[in-house]
Amino acid sequence: MRIFVYVLTILFLIGCSENPSQEQEDSQETPVNPETEAMSVESLADNLDTPWTIAKHEDTIYLTERPGAIVQIEDGQSVQQEVDLEKSISTASEAGFLGFTLAPDFAESQTAFAYYTYEEDGNAYNRIVSLQLTDDTWEEQRVLLDQIPSGNVHHGGRLAIGPDNKLYATTGDAAQPELAQDVQSLAGKILRLNLDGSIPEDNPFNDSYIYSYGHRNPQGLVWDSEDQLYATEHGNNANDEVNLIEAGQNYGWPHIEGEETQQDMEFPLFTSGTEVTWAPSGVDFYNDKLFVAALRGTALLEFDLDANTQQTFLEGYGRIRDIYIEDDELYFITNNTDGRGSPQADDDQLYRITLTE
């Protein structure tokens, strides 16, 4: 596949580490796609407040903002919609109003699903809820899953509806690595729910939401054209991963990460290795390739599943949180206002690229 894009504007921003303990910026060693050294990118919305997720229905785009709002973008106009939640959103690092996905019948039901962090009685939790849209206000209607462990960092937070019409969610280890290996805990997992919040009968663990475990802080989910599931995951000071996810499997954290191996534990399709940090977040699939939003890597990364190669697809916009591809349009949002980036005028922004073969 050949992808041609033309330059409108390039912003040069320097991203900070997604892991506060890593003070120095690692060099970006992933080669840059030679056909995309100059990028044509159109800004669709600006002055966003720490956006986290992109969702789209027909010609309308919805973005979540971590402080607790949804921005609707339609006909070139942006409207910040109120979100009425039962719990107050946590302002802890990396926390807030995170994952968001529209119900399959959204056109009729005006229903969506959301993942957010809150604090109660001195503890922090994540919960998955359904939301109802009425007159530019989203109201929490039903709690699908509550008291997912949270902490000062590592909340996970990505939501996606799979080709099986189930709701999938990524959860972080809540900065307690041992929870990732505990199949009695919802932390450090990929979860699978029915859309009403019940446990699917064919989940790999009996009477459990857990679909896979041994994850540190996964933040991206996508299926390919053959309905295979992939996830992106933050490593510990590098060793970031792109994994092929299979039901019931153990992805190793905290026993292994990156290129390390151990019996009965899965190793990644791609890893940044020990010297480079991507801090990968949102991911999407297009023409046998995965496109990954990288925060610390300050780029969109391109992974060719057939050739087993990787390269930088786009850089120069700072921290990138999420990506969404529909037909030949690629959308991405920056995250330079999250306290770890270097925002320039009008950040954060939603951008669009037109892809052609």
Side-chain angles (χ1 to χ4, degrees):
M1 179 190 72
R2 301 180 65 192
I3 298 177
F4 299 91
V5 286
Y6 307 89
V7 172
L8 293 178
T9 182
I10 292 181
L11 306 174
F12 292 95
L13 302 172
I14 300 174
C16 297
S17 172
E18 187 69 7
N19 187 329
S21 67
Q22 192 168 359
E23 296 179 355
Q24 292 188 340
E25 184 72 23
D26 291 317
S27 61
Q28 176 56 265
E29 297 182 358
T30 305
V32 177
N33 185 334
E35 295 183 359
T36 58
E37 290 181 351
M39 299 290 167
S40 170
V41 181
E42 176 186 6
S43 177
L44 300 181
D46 57 20
N47 293 299
L48 302 169
D49 188 358
T50 323
W52 213 88
T53 296
I54 305 170
K56 189 171 183 289
H57 174 69
E58 296 180 348
D59 295 328
T60 303
I61 298 170
Y62 299 96
L63 309 175
T64 62
E65 294 182 316
R66 268 178 49 195
I70 291 176
V71 177
Q72 175 190 282
I73 302 160
E74 188 174 38
D75 297 328
Q77 301 298 314
S78 298
V79 176
Q80 188 178 67
Q81 299 176 318
E82 181 182 351
V83 181
D84 185 7
L85 301 173
E86 292 182 0
K87 304 287 186 179
S88 297
I89 289 178
S90 170
T91 58
S93 179
E94 303 177 17
F97 190 51
L98 305 177
F100 178 82
T101 189
L102 303 175
D105 64 347
F106 176 73
E108 295 78 29
S109 70
Q110 297 292 282
T111 296
F113 303 99
Y115 182 112
Y116 70 93
T117 315
Y118 69 96
E119 298 175 13
E120 190 171 73
D121 298 328
N123 297 309
Y125 303 102
N126 298 298
R127 65 178 358 191
I128 301 170
V129 301
S130 64
L131 302 176
Q132 180 79 38
L133 175 62
T134 305
D135 297 330
D136 283 335
T137 297
W138 296 84
E139 183 176 0
E140 183 174 326
Q141 291 291 304
R142 180 175 183 177
V143 178
L144 276 66
L145 184 58
D146 202 358
Q147 295 197 338
I148 299 168
S150 188
N152 60 329
V153 289
H154 302 177
H155 312 287
R158 189 65 59 193
L159 293 181
I161 295 177
D164 55 3
N165 208 41
K166 306 298 183 184
L167 180 62
Y168 291 73
T170 68
T171 70
D173 67 5
Q176 300 179 65
E178 67 280 1
L179 294 181
Q181 289 293 318
D182 182 358
V183 293
Q184 302 303 314
S185 171
L186 296 178
K189 310 296 189 298
I190 294 176
L191 309 178
R192 180 173 180 258
L193 298 73
N194 291 319
L195 299 187
D196 63 2
S198 60
I199 298 172
E201 293 182 357
D202 58 347
N203 269 9
F205 299 96
N206 185 46
D207 196 31
S208 173
Y209 290 104
I210 295 172
Y211 189 74
S212 63
Y213 67 109
H215 299 287
R216 182 175 180 269
N217 193 21
Q219 289 189 359
L221 292 171
V222 73
W223 289 261
D224 67 13
S225 55
E226 298 180 352
D227 295 345
Q228 294 179 301
L229 175 60
Y230 300 85
T232 61
E233 182 165 340
H234 291 210
N236 181 32
N237 293 336
N239 290 311
D240 298 312
E241 299 179 354
V242 176
N243 286 294
L244 173 63
I245 303 299
E246 296 182 356
Q249 297 304 303
N250 180 357
Y251 287 81
W253 176 253
H255 301 308
I256 63 170
E257 61 174 339
E259 298 176 352
E260 299 172 339
T261 61
Q262 189 168 315
Q263 187 175 1
D264 298 326
M265 295 184 183
E266 304 299 310
F267 56 89
L269 290 178
F270 300 95
T271 177
S272 66
T274 60
E275 302 300 323
V276 175
T277 298
W278 299 328
S281 192
V283 57
D284 214 334
F285 175 83
Y286 180 83
N287 283 4
D288 299 321
K289 295 180 179 180
L290 298 177
F291 290 83
V292 175
L295 293 157
R296 177 74 181 277
T298 61
L300 285 176
L301 306 177
E302 177 186 325
F303 299 88
D304 190 315
L305 297 174
D306 291 334
N308 195 37
T309 58
Q310 64 190 63
Q311 59 186 345
T312 295
F313 175 73
L314 172 74
E315 58 186 358
Y317 289 80
R319 296 165 60 80
I320 301 179
R321 171 63 71 180
D322 197 20
I323 178 173
Y324 181 94
I325 300 174
E326 183 177 72
D327 299 325
D328 293 324
E329 303 290 330
L330 183 154
Y331 303 82
F332 69 93
I333 46 175
T334 60
N335 239 196
N336 296 310
T337 61
D338 68 353
R340 295 176 178 175
S342 299
Q344 293 191 358
D346 300 327
D347 272 343
D348 277 315
Q349 300 192 48
L350 168 69
Y351 296 97
R352 178 174 64 191
I353 305 170
T354 299
L355 306 175
T356 58
E357 295 186 65

